Amino acid sequence: AKQDKFLPGSRIPIVGEKYIRKTQPDYVVIFPWNLRSEVVEQLSYIREWGAKFVVAVPELEMLGIVLTWWQFRSVHLLSAF
């Protein structure tokens, strides 16, 4: 399991679904682009508090808008494994 570790070369934590429910981040970054549909479906409840999904491959994108890392107020990664 990759949860409770960090994205290599950064201080961005990889967290589990429990943590996401508890902390209610503004954004959830999905790095395994091939699992995008499943992750979005599984975590669809994040929209209840206004959170958004961000896909990082091939570009950092949220609803068709290219973003830079410093535009995030809080970033959490969900481990899909």
Side-chain angles (χ1 to χ4, degrees):
K2 297 176 184 176
Q3 296 175 11
D4 301 321
K5 298 195 185 311
F6 293 92
L7 186 65
S10 74
R11 299 290 302 157
I12 300 173
I14 300 173
V15 300
E17 190 172 349
K18 245 192 226 182
Y19 185 83
I20 290 173
R21 282 186 186 273
K22 180 180 174 184
T23 60
Q24 298 187 350
D26 297 323
Y27 301 95
V28 173
V29 180
I30 303 171
F31 280 104
W33 60 270
N34 58 324
L35 300 176
R36 176 184 179 166
S37 300
E38 295 98 296
V39 172
V40 168
E41 185 177 330
Q42 180 180 345
L43 299 179
S44 62
Y45 61 84
I46 72 166
R47 293 185 179 114
E48 293 172 10
W49 63 78
K52 304 210 178 349
F53 291 103
V54 178
V55 179
V57 175
E59 294 179 307
L60 193 56
E61 183 179 347
M62 179 183 69
L63 302 175
I65 302 168
V66 176
L67 301 173
T68 56
W69 283 107
W70 54 86
Q71 289 175 301
F72 293 112
R73 192 170 78 203
S74 63
V75 175
H76 297 85
L77 304 178
L78 173 71
S79 173
F81 306 99

